[in-house]
């Protein structure tokens, strides 16, 4: 029984690995279950058994990608001593981890008219992970007296939309060239929330 479950997990993992590569190379719309089956070396039946359909397989991959983003941030976060430093660190983390291999496929799926409401909601919910990380930094800053007492939820939304907007530049410019802009965004933001102002 254990061996069977273990083998099943190996099959699932291998399908996910091959699907991730195909989605990154070909995009969501151009990748078929048949393509995934051929690349992974498992029947379509295996894919439907483990994931139900291509859409649910992709959503699971996207969720895993965001969990990886978060775990990378948690490792980096320990090296910053203050909430201010964490905000600068987070800005660079967002900059260098925005362009994931599955990003364009995710955008394709999100705008696909056939996407289920459940999958669309799960993709939208992925934004909760970075927003929760932003909020935790703000809360820490307020708790330690580094930031003024203010509307942390509002700050979180503002920072999320600001960094998200700046990320649109990553298609056109080298990431290193965008570092000063991302840092400046944090400097401007801190000007209104840091205890004692600038």
């Amino acid at each position: 029984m254990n061996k069977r479950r273990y083998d099943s997990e190996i099959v699932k993992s291998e399908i996910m690995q091959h699907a991730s590569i195909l989605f990154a190379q070909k995009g969501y719309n151009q990748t078929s279950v048949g393509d995934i089956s051929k690349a992974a070396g498992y029947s379509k039946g295996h894919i439907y058994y483990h994931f139900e359909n291509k859409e649910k397989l992709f959503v699971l991959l996207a969720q895993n990608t965001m969990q990886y983003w978060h775990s990378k941030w948690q490792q980096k976060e320990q090296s910053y001593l203050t909430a201010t430093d964490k905000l600068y660190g987070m800005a660079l983390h967002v900059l260098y981890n925005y362009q994931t291999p599955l990003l364009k496929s995710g955008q394709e799926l999100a705008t696909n008219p056939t996407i289920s409401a459940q999958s669309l909601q799960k993709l939208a919910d992925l934004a909760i992970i970075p927003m929760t990380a932003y909020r935790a930094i703000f809360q820490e800053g307020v708790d330690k007296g580094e930031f003024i007492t203010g509307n942390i939820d509002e700050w979180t939304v503002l920072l999320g939309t600001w960094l998200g907007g700046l990320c649109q530049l990553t298609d056109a410019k080298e990431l290193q060239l965008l570092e000063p802009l991302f840092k400046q965004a944090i400097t401007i933001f801190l000007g209104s929330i840091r205890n004692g102002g600038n």
Side-chain angles (χ1 to χ4, degrees), residues 56-90:
K56 290 191 176 181
L57 168 55
F58 182 84
V59 169
L60 181 60
L61 290 170
Q63 289 171 325
N64 286 353
T65 297
M66 187 53 78
Q67 288 298 333
Y68 180 65
W69 180 97
H70 188 244
S71 67
K72 280 175 71 177
W73 167 247
Q74 287 179 311
Q75 290 170 3
K76 289 179 190 172
E77 185 181 21
Q78 299 169 16
S79 66
Y80 301 112
L81 300 178
T82 66
T84 295
D85 290 341
K86 286 181 184 181
L87 280 180
Y88 282 108
M90 175 58 85

Side-chain angles (χ1 to χ4, degrees), residues 93-157:
H93 182 68
V94 169
L95 168 62
Y96 283 101
N97 293 279
Y98 174 74
Q99 290 282 3
T100 68
L102 296 180
L103 178 64
K104 286 188 172 33
S105 288
Q107 292 167 338
E108 274 183 41
L109 176 56
T111 58
N112 189 316
T114 65
I115 187 174
S116 69
Q118 184 184 31
S119 291
L120 189 59
Q121 186 60 55
K122 285 182 178 178
L123 289 178
D125 287 348
L126 295 178
I128 293 170
I129 294 173
M131 297 296 265
T132 300
Y134 304 158
R135 193 184 193 291
I137 297 170
F138 289 131
Q139 188 66 61
E140 178 185 330
V142 170
D143 291 346
K144 292 184 174 176
E146 201 174 329
F147 303 153
I148 61 172
T149 301
N151 190 331
I152 292 174
D153 291 329
E154 190 175 272
W155 296 349
T156 299
V157 171

Side-chain angles (χ1 to χ4, degrees), residues 15-29:
I15 290 170
M16 290 174 70
Q17 287 171 18
H18 288 281
S20 184
I21 292 166
L22 286 171
F23 285 132
Q25 290 174 344
K26 299 175 67 173
Y28 179 82
N29 294 332

Side-chain angles (χ1 to χ4, degrees), residues 87 138 155 158-159 162 184-193:
L87 280 180
F138 289 131
W155 296 349
L158 288 171
L159 182 65
W162 204 349
Q184 180 64 7
I186 297 301
T187 300
I188 293 168
F189 205 99
L190 283 168
S192 62
I193 68 167

